[in-house]
Amino acid sequence: MSETRERLRAALRKVRRSIAQVRERKDHIGEQNTKSVLIDPVLAALGWDLTDLDEVFLEYKHKPQDNPVDYALLLQRSPRLFVEAKELDTNLDDHKWKSQIISYASVAGVEWCVLTDGDRYCIYNAYAPVDVEQKLFRSVIVSDASQDASTLDTLELLSKEKLTENSINVLWKAHFIDRQVQAALEGMFEGEDASLVRLLRKRTTNLKSSEIRESLKRADIVVEFPALASSLVGEPSRADEREAAGEPEAEYGPRSYTGPLLLRGEFLFLARHRQIKGGTTTERVSLADLRDAAEVAGAIASAGRDVTVSELHTRSNMRRYIVQRAVAALYLGRALVYTGGRLPDRFAVSDDLSADAMIERVLAHAQTEQIERGETPRPQGGASQSFRWLVTLGEGGQFTLACRYLPDDTKSFQVRGRRIPPDGDFEPARRKLLEDIYEQIRPLFPDLPDGRVRAKAWSGVHKVYPASAYGKQ
C-alpha cells in the first residue's frame, strides 16, 4: 500500500467519526467548519500542502471580477483541480451547484473540478463535450464504510502524485467510452433494434423475427462496467519477473532504455526498446537537461527520499518525456540505482554522488562515436509544412475543417462541428476539436511526444477559433 493511501485511509477514519458526531448532535456546522474539519484533512492526506500558495490557493479567482472557488490545487503554479465546498448535508444534486463549479472550471481552463460537502465527493470533467449531468465522472460517500475501497480508489485520483501522473484522464477516457457503449447496448435491447434481431436470427435455429422481439421484451438484461481502480494506472505488472527473465521493461519509463549511451557534441543518445511496436529507437537528451535533472535528484536524495520521475517532473521545468530520458541516462551511467519494489521509476543516488559527480559518472560510461538516430522517418519542418487547413462555414455556426496532409494526400481528413461564438463558452468545444484532430494525426507521428503532436493539432484548432477573435483563455 502506498504512503498516500495509508494517510488517506487514516484521514477518512477520522472524518467519518466527525461526521457521525455532527449528525448525532444534529448540528449545522456551516461551510467554514466543514472545510477545516472534514475537507482539509483529506486534501492534506492526498499530499497537498495547505500552507503553500504554490500548491493550494484558497478563494481562487481566475479574474478579479470572477466568483471565488474554495480551493485551487496547483501543479507548477497552474490550477489543475478546483474544489468547491458546501456545508455538510447540502443537496449536491441541485443543478445550480453543479453548474456553478463546472462553469468556474471551464472559464478558467481547468479540466477537473470537485463538488463536496465533506462527506460526498462528486468529480466532474468540465471539458467533456456533453451536458452537465454527463460530466460526472465518479461520486463517493466517505461515511459509507462499506464502500471504503471504492472511496479510496476515487479520492486517491485527486492526490498530488496521481494528478501529476495524469491517472484520472486515463480512467476518464475508459469511463467515457464504456458509458457510450453501455448506452448503445441498452438501446439495442430496449428498442428492439433491427440489426440485433437479424444477428440473433442468424445465430439461432428456426426462430422468426417476431419471436426474437418478444423474447427480448421478456429479457432482463443489465450492462455494467466496473470502475477501474487508480492502482491499475501507470503501474506495470510483473516488473521484477520480467527483469529476472531478461525481458525488456514496459514501453515507457527510464528502465525501458537499454543503451547504448553515446555522446555526440551537446547531446547523449540512448536506445529505447519499444515493447508494443517492437524494435529500438534512438532518443537524445541534452547535457543541460541532464545537469538540471541531476541537481534536482541530488536535492531530493539529500532530503532522504527516493528519486522518482514524477517528483523530478514536478520540481523541474522540464517536460515529462525529457525527465524520463535524463533519468534513463543517469541510470545507464550508474549515477542512479533502482531501489526495487513495484514502481519502475523509483531510484536512489548511487554512492551519495553530488550533481557534478553524477554527470561525470554518466560521461565516463558514454562512448564518443558518431551514431545515426534510429527514428521512424517523418516529414521535416513544422506543422505548416505538413498540413494545409481549410475552413468552410455554414449556417448556425456549422463548420467543416479540411486537413490536407501534404506528404500523403490519402491520409487527409475532415472534421465537422459547430463553432461557438466568441462571447460564449467556447473552451469545451475548442478542446473537443483539439482531441478530434489529435486522434486523426497521432498515427502520422508515432515517434513524436504527445505534446508536439498536440501542438500540430492546435494549428487546425486556431483555423476554426482564430486568436484574433477568441484570444486566450
Side-chain angles (χ1 to χ4, degrees), residues 42-60:
V42 173
L43 295 180
L46 292 172
W48 299 101
D49 186 349
L50 297 170
T51 65
D52 187 348
L53 292 177
D54 289 339
E55 285 192 18
V56 180
F57 200 102
L58 304 179
E59 299 297 316
Y60 177 86

Side-chain angles (χ1 to χ4, degrees), residues 15 138 140 149 314 331 343 355 381 432 462:
V15 168
R138 288 186 186 177
V140 295
T314 302
Y331 172 69
L343 294 176
K432 180 182 183 301
H462 289 316

